[in-house]
Amino acid sequence: MQDQNTFKQNHTVLVIGGGVGGIRAAMDLAESNRDVVLIDKAYSIGGLMTQLDRTFPTNNCDLCTLSPNLSESGRQLHIELLAMTQVSEVEGEAGNFKLKLITEPRYIDLDKCTACGDCFKKFPECVRFTPGLDHRAPTCMRYPQAIPHAFSIDMEKCKDINALVEVCKACGILPEDIQKIGQVEAAAIVLGPGAEVFDPDKLDSLGHVTNPDVVTSLEYERILSASGPTQGQLIRPSDGKQPQKIAWIQCVGSRSLHEGAASYCSSACCMFALKEAIVTKERFQDTIETAIFYMDMRTFGKDYELYLNRAKDDYGIRLVGSRPHSVLYDPETASLSITYTPHDSNTNISEDFDMVVLSTGFKISSDVQELAGKLGIELNEHRFAKTASFNPVATSKAGIYVCGMFEGPKDIPETMVQASAAACLAAKESLPAEAIERDAEEDSEEPVRERDVSDEAPRVGIFICDCGLNIGGVVDTQ
């Protein structure tokens, strides 16, 4: 192990978690002239949002929404980004926190890696890759436009290290890379570590373990996504055929007494099931039937009830008030059978589907609970950060603030609002950074001079996204 740079500035704020909440908080702080150290234990920032296809209620492309923020966070002069990094030790108080950070080896030189993919083509087993679903396409980064825009090597799986090093034309592979220890002094801390998705394998009656056509909501998002394993083609994992009838089962792992499940509502599941069903109907119209099995449709956000009405009235999505217990595979028809009792009836009904999507809830991981212990903050009975009703971003310890899923289950818009609120309070604990050397160097550079273009032919650049069907479905992007 070796020591990294030590940041010693009383205007520094440490942001833990590189999801949408952490990125938003970091950018707000940087804009207010606070220096930010943004850390995330993953190989790239972006969190769960990078694995989604669309965002509700606008149904905008997810990466098109997120990518500008990812790029800006990577370029911001006041943000120091440390991927594959976690907090090891914490001491001090508001205005003067001292933290030890541990960064795991990437075995890649970030300054040299061009993300060309040669290492993955020759040694795919050595490249760390977690796309959601287990296909290794189309890229061996978590998603296109990943920040940091570089690969990560699992050196333990590499059998021929010398050959791996030689395949990189940029000489960017570092086989001798080691774990690094860094120190940071921060005036405040913003927590945005997010939450993990409930594992439906613990509920064997739903068939996620035994049947590949029973997928989680996140796996279905990866299938729909143009950056996913099927490049946006909706196919059944079992046979590669397009499904004709799809069911969504709500509250998997939430509002349940099953062992390992949560008793609370995960807040966003109803809306992302509606979104997935709407996007499916938008693409395939009446060629695919969609049905959502629910306990209660909780559409409480801005325009969310209108979104629900659109799903029912404009797209013909069938809403079934029932909570099915099990999903059974019928070998004769190669279909999935669901038996349910509607809320308004006492009759059992059996119905066959080609695919079943499990709307899994959220819970706080053991790693985040351990981090809370190191920071000395209290958790509530559901293991979320304990906060006050009228100050939902302030934790039990002064100078430490929280946003996003770690405060409680919520959707992306509410996470962004909380992130800005947490950044605002954290900024009060720190002093604005004075003009630093890198800013002075930038100011000293000679500006680009304007030139007279009045006599030149006009040139107009149009830049559009060519992934998926948002634009490509109506415009020839080639």
Side-chain angles (χ1 to χ4, degrees):
M1 295 185 294
Q2 69 182 35
D3 288 343
Q4 282 184 303
N5 295 331
T6 300
F7 307 92
K8 293 184 178 180
Q9 299 144 334
N10 61 1
H11 45 257
T12 297
V13 177
L14 176 67
V15 177
I16 302 175
V20 289
I23 292 172
R24 180 71 268 164
M27 291 172 60
D28 285 356
L29 287 162
E31 289 173 3
S32 63
N33 288 329
R34 271 70 175 181
D35 279 350
V36 180
V37 179
L38 173 60
I39 69 172
D40 195 291
K41 65 180 182 180
Y43 315 121
S44 54
I45 61 175
L48 283 178
M49 189 173 176
T50 60
Q51 300 183 52
L52 305 182
D53 177 51
R54 309 279 188 90
T55 53
F56 58 80
T58 59
N59 286 359
N60 288 337
C61 173
D62 186 72
L63 279 179
C64 292
T65 303
L66 181 62
S67 292
N69 291 329
L70 293 171
S71 300
E72 186 174 348
S73 65
R75 293 193 302 265
Q76 246 288 351
L77 295 178
H78 287 291
I79 298 178
E80 180 80 18
L81 173 59
L82 300 176
M84 302 176 66
T85 301
Q86 299 187 68
V87 173
S88 174
E89 298 176 9
V90 184
E91 61 181 34
E93 56 188 10
N96 187 30
F97 288 108
K98 297 180 180 179
L99 305 99
K100 179 185 288 187
L101 307 179
I102 294 181
T103 301
E104 297 301 326
R106 182 183 285 268
Y107 301 105
I108 290 286
D109 189 330
L110 292 176
D111 294 327
K112 294 181 179 179
C113 181
T114 61
C116 66
D118 286 348
C119 57
F120 171 67
K121 294 174 185 176
K122 296 293 181 64
F123 298 91
E125 71 281 359
C126 302
V127 180
R128 294 188 179 105
F129 181 56
T130 52
L133 293 184
D134 65 3
H135 301 38
R136 283 184 165 252
T139 170
C140 62
M141 287 176 287
R142 286 178 65 197
Y143 55 95
Q145 302 94 29
I147 302 295
H149 197 61
F151 293 102
S152 177
I153 302 296
D154 188 344
M155 204 57 73
E156 293 182 356
K157 295 182 179 180
C158 186
K159 299 178 181 178
D160 192 341
I161 296 177
N162 291 332
L164 174 65
V165 172
E166 292 174 359
V167 80
C168 181
K169 300 180 180 66
C171 301
I173 296 178
L174 306 175
E176 304 300 326
D177 198 8
I178 57 176
Q179 188 184 74
K180 303 176 182 65
I181 297 177
Q183 305 285 338
V184 59
E185 294 185 3
I189 300 171
V190 175
L191 287 172
E196 67 179 9
V197 179
F198 176 78
D199 182 7
D201 291 355
K202 298 176 181 178
L203 305 176
D204 53 3
S205 62
L206 295 177
H208 184 260
V209 176
T210 58
N211 197 301
D213 294 331
V214 179
V215 298
T216 66
S217 290
L218 190 57
E219 290 169 341
Y220 190 75
E221 292 274 356
R222 297 307 299 150
I223 294 174
L224 290 179
S225 176
S227 64
T230 63
Q231 298 182 332
Q233 299 295 319
L234 178 54
I235 58 176
R236 298 203 312 177
S238 64
D239 55 14
K241 296 180 180 179
Q242 179 179 305
Q244 304 300 312
K245 196 173 181 181
I246 305 176
W248 280 259
I249 298 179
Q250 300 303 103
C251 301
V252 176
S254 297
R255 303 179 67 188
S256 173
L257 298 178
H258 283 287
E259 183 178 355
S263 60
Y264 53 81
C265 170
S266 289
S267 182
C269 312
C270 290
M271 284 301 294
F272 64 61
L274 285 172
K275 176 202 67 177
E276 291 166 357
I278 286 177
V279 171
T280 301
K281 294 292 284 186
E282 280 181 339
R283 292 187 185 179
F284 302 100
Q285 303 298 323
D286 294 332
T287 62
I288 291 183
E289 294 182 43
T290 56
I292 298 177
F293 294 86
Y294 69 96
M295 292 176 66
D296 305 284
M297 292 306 294
R298 296 186 169 183
T299 52
F300 49 80
K302 182 180 179 181
D303 289 340
Y304 287 5
E305 191 71 13
L306 296 176
Y307 195 79
L308 170 62
N309 292 335
R310 283 176 53 205
K312 293 187 296 184
D313 301 336
D314 297 347
Y315 294 97
I317 294 168
R318 185 159 57 99
L319 301 178
V320 183
S322 180
R323 188 171 189 174
H325 173 269
S326 56
V327 178
L328 302 177
Y329 177 69
D330 186 344
E332 294 183 4
T333 60
S335 61
L336 302 168
S337 178
I338 295 178
T339 300
Y340 61 94
T341 304
H343 289 170
D344 57 359
S345 171
N346 58 4
T347 304
N348 283 343
I349 300 174
S350 293
E351 193 170 348
D352 291 342
F353 294 89
D354 298 318
M355 282 184 71
V356 173
V357 183
L358 307 178
S359 294
T360 48
F362 302 97
K363 66 175 186 176
I364 299 303
S365 67
S366 58
D367 289 345
V368 175
Q369 294 179 44
E370 183 180 345
L371 172 63
K374 293 177 182 178
L375 295 173
I377 65 172
E378 296 180 24
L379 304 179
N380 63 24
E381 67 273 21
H382 299 303
R383 303 296 185 266
F384 295 99
K386 189 175 182 179
T387 60
S389 299
F390 290 99
N391 196 359
V393 298
T395 68
S396 59
K397 187 169 183 177
I400 301 181
Y401 304 97
V402 64
C403 65
M405 282 285 190
F406 187 33
E407 189 273 333
K410 58 181 57 67
D411 56 21
I412 293 169
E414 190 177 352
T415 294
M416 300 293 270
V417 172
Q418 274 199 342
S420 292
C424 182
L425 293 180
K428 292 173 61 178
E429 306 282 354
S430 58
L431 298 174
E434 301 297 331
I436 52 178
E437 186 175 334
R438 59 192 175 196
D439 293 326
E441 291 177 357
E442 197 172 81
D443 292 340
S444 65
E445 294 180 2
E446 185 176 348
V448 178
R449 299 187 180 278
E450 294 184 3
R451 58 187 178 86
D452 185 2
V453 296
S454 58
D455 294 330
E456 298 181 13
R459 295 186 297 173
V460 179
I462 301 176
F463 302 90
I464 61 175
C465 174
D466 65 351
C467 68
L469 299 175
N470 287 7
I471 298 175
V474 294
V475 175
D476 183 1
T477 59
Q478 302 301 321

